[in-house]
Amino acid sequence: MAKAFSLVLVAVLAFASAAEAQNYLEPAWTKTLTRGGRFLTAHEFGRCSVIDQNGVIEVIDETGVVAWRWNYRKISKLIYPQETAVSPDCDAIAITGSATYKYTWLVERGGQGVTIGTMGTPSDVAFDRTGQRVLIGTFTGMLQMHARPSGDLLLTRAVHAPITIEGIEMFNDSGRVAFKHREGAELQSDAWLLATTSDPKRKWLASSERIACIDDQGTVLAEIPPQTFYREIVVSRDFGQVVRIERAGNATRLYGYTVPSPCKP
């Protein structure tokens, strides 16, 4: 819901030797998705989460309540949300489609939407910090900036291919806009570094036995229940919100946690 947020391996012994287990944080909200429902992204400070409920995108506020919906299935059967960005005020989303879909949708809370064509298949999308511009990267190495809500093209730039959120960061200079990318080495018998902050030093780590926030001394400051899918945890940039995505067969359930001090600086 934040992505510094690269996924890397750390020594499991250092994690296991952290202070004894704390009481788990209680979820502030939970939500069970419909069969086939998907978690798409979250706001960088945890103000909302975005899910796909089989043809309907829902924007969920920080209490777990649906703030607004967009029924894309009624518009086109060709839309299949992939890369997704949410505006700073959670009042707009931008989504790309499948590998053969060369358009990005920019949708406002009221349901108004425009399609934006790109010079190549979109590979990533982000809002700038003001929320008034949308940046789209393509697999052909083009970066486009568009105005909101019209979708008008403001400028283009050729970069390296393909463009990812890191490429967009270099262009809009606004810091990480989302925290969904955590590619890294294959899972071994180690812990995953989910998120980190340097001032003060804090880390969210996940292993087979625990998911915890620790300080630079190894003290556990907060802890949530462990799960199998380590990469399906999102941590907000300010460490104040965590969303845990739990899957069991075809069922997906979201757990939202409000993280208190001292884990949240």
Side-chain angles (χ1 to χ4, degrees), residues 66-153:
V66 176
W68 58 282
R69 294 180 173 89
W70 181 52
N71 191 334
Y72 67 84
R73 190 60 54 80
K74 287 186 176 180
I75 298 173
S76 173
K77 294 182 179 180
L78 297 177
I79 302 174
Y80 186 73
Q82 293 293 325
E83 298 302 323
T84 305
V86 60
S87 66
D89 292 329
C90 294
D91 58 353
I93 56 172
I95 64 166
T96 69
S98 62
T100 59
Y101 194 72
K102 291 183 172 58
Y103 296 93
T104 297
W105 276 88
L106 173 59
V107 183
E108 300 292 321
R109 178 171 181 152
Q112 305 90 344
V114 295
T115 54
I116 300 172
T118 50
M119 293 174 281
T121 302
S123 58
D124 217 336
V125 63
F127 287 89
D128 75 343
R129 184 158 293 178
T130 70
Q132 298 308 306
R133 293 181 292 273
V134 176
L135 296 108
I136 304 168
T138 74
F139 286 104
T140 57
M142 295 301 298
L143 194 56
Q144 300 180 194
M145 177 185 287
H146 295 262
R148 176 187 165 203
S150 65
D152 292 342
L153 179 64

Side-chain angles (χ1 to χ4, degrees), residues 202-253:
R202 299 282 189 272
K203 293 179 181 178
W204 270 98
L205 299 175
S207 74
S208 59
E209 297 182 351
R210 68 197 317 179
I211 301 170
C213 173
I214 64 173
D215 62 16
D216 58 344
Q217 303 300 315
T219 303
V220 176
L221 307 177
E223 190 166 1
I224 63 176
Q227 66 184 75
T228 302
F229 296 91
Y230 306 102
R231 284 178 285 184
E232 298 196 287
I233 300 164
V234 289
V235 180
S236 65
R237 186 190 297 276
D238 62 0
F239 273 38
Q241 302 288 328
V242 172
V243 178
R244 179 167 63 96
I245 300 98
E246 185 175 85
R247 302 180 189 277
N250 293 320
T252 300
R253 189 170 180 82

Side-chain angles (χ1 to χ4, degrees), residues 32-55:
T32 301
L33 306 190
T34 58
R35 183 183 177 89
R38 299 180 298 141
F39 177 88
L40 295 177
T41 193
H43 185 278
E44 65 170 336
F45 290 114
R47 295 171 188 156
C48 60
S49 299
V50 184
I51 62 174
D52 180 3
Q53 294 271 51
N54 294 315

Side-chain angles (χ1 to χ4, degrees), residues 177-198:
V177 180
F179 40 95
K180 55 197 173 186
H181 296 282
R182 294 192 172 86
E183 292 81 1
E186 292 299 317
L187 179 65
Q188 301 173 10
S189 58
D190 296 331
W192 293 104
L193 174 62
L194 299 172
T196 184
T197 181
S198 58

